[in-house]
Amino acid sequence: MTGKEGGHVDHTAAQATPHAGAVNPDALEVAPGTAHERLEGWIPELASEDELRGALEKAFDYRGDVTITRKDGSKIEGYLFDRRTGGSLRESVVRIYPKNSNDKISVSYAEIGALEFSGRDTAAGKSWEAWMKRYAEKKAAGEKDLSLHPEPLE
C-alpha cells in the first residue's frame, strides 16, 4: 500500500505536519507525588459524617491493619480492602479481612463508633530515597554485601 492508506505523509504538502497526532512529552501533565501521613496508632475523631468518611478513606489507603469498633461495642481488627460510598452512612460500607480469619466482613459506616490504625504500616519507609540512604550507609561502613533485603512483615 502506498500513499495515505499506507500511513505515508506527503511532507511537501503545506498542511503536512511530521508526526501529526504525536504527544509532546514535555506538555504532559505530571502529578506531584503523594505525601504519606504517619497514621500508625492514630485514633481519629469521628464526630461528624465528614470526619468518618475522611478517616475511612485514609484507612482504605493504609497498608496495615485497622480496628473498627462498632457502636454495639464489638471490634474487628484486620485489613480494610474495599469501601463503597453511598448517599448516606447507612448506604456506605467498608469491607475488611479480619486478622485471624479468611472471611470478608462488610460493615456499614452507620455502625462504626470508632476507628484505630492499629497495625504496623508495611509501606512506611519504603521509598526509593530511604533505600538509597540505607545503601549509602552500608557502603560508607565498608560492607561488601551491598544488597538490601526487605524487612520481615511480622
Side-chain angles (χ1 to χ4, degrees):
M1 225 185 260
T2 61
K4 289 182 184 177
E5 298 85 22
H8 301 284
V9 177
D10 180 4
H11 292 287
T12 60
Q15 75 274 13
T17 306
H19 308 289
V23 177
N24 176 358
D26 295 329
L28 292 175
E29 181 179 335
V30 178
T34 303
H36 294 283
E37 297 178 74
R38 289 229 170 252
L39 298 173
E40 245 174 75
W42 181 48
I43 302 173
E45 184 70 36
L46 305 178
S48 71
E49 181 175 331
D50 288 340
E51 289 171 335
L52 174 63
R53 288 181 184 273
L56 289 171
E57 283 301 309
K58 289 180 182 189
F60 176 71
D61 290 333
Y62 188 62
R63 296 296 170 243
D65 286 347
V66 297
T67 300
I68 293 175
T69 304
R70 291 181 172 144
K71 290 181 178 175
D72 68 4
S74 63
K75 293 185 179 197
I76 305 168
E77 183 177 8
Y79 183 74
L80 194 151
F81 71 95
D82 188 20
R83 84 311 196 190
R84 297 176 185 172
T85 57
S88 70
L89 293 180
R90 190 153 309 289
E91 296 169 348
S92 303
V93 292
V94 293
R95 297 193 321 152
I96 189 167
Y97 285 116
K99 191 172 186 172
N100 298 317
S101 170
N102 291 328
D103 296 334
K104 297 175 190 172
I105 297 176
S106 294
V107 181
S108 168
Y109 283 25
E111 295 177 48
I112 298 173
L115 176 68
E116 178 183 355
F117 292 75
S118 52
R120 183 173 153 255
D121 183 355
T122 59
K126 304 295 191 245
S127 70
W128 173 252
E129 292 82 11
W131 186 91
M132 287 302 298
K133 181 180 176 191
R134 287 192 306 273
Y135 180 86
E137 288 169 354
K138 280 186 162 191
K139 188 174 182 178
E143 289 189 35
K144 299 293 183 205
D145 176 23
L146 293 179
S147 64
L148 294 173
H149 304 282
E151 298 173 15
L153 292 176
E154 290 294 323

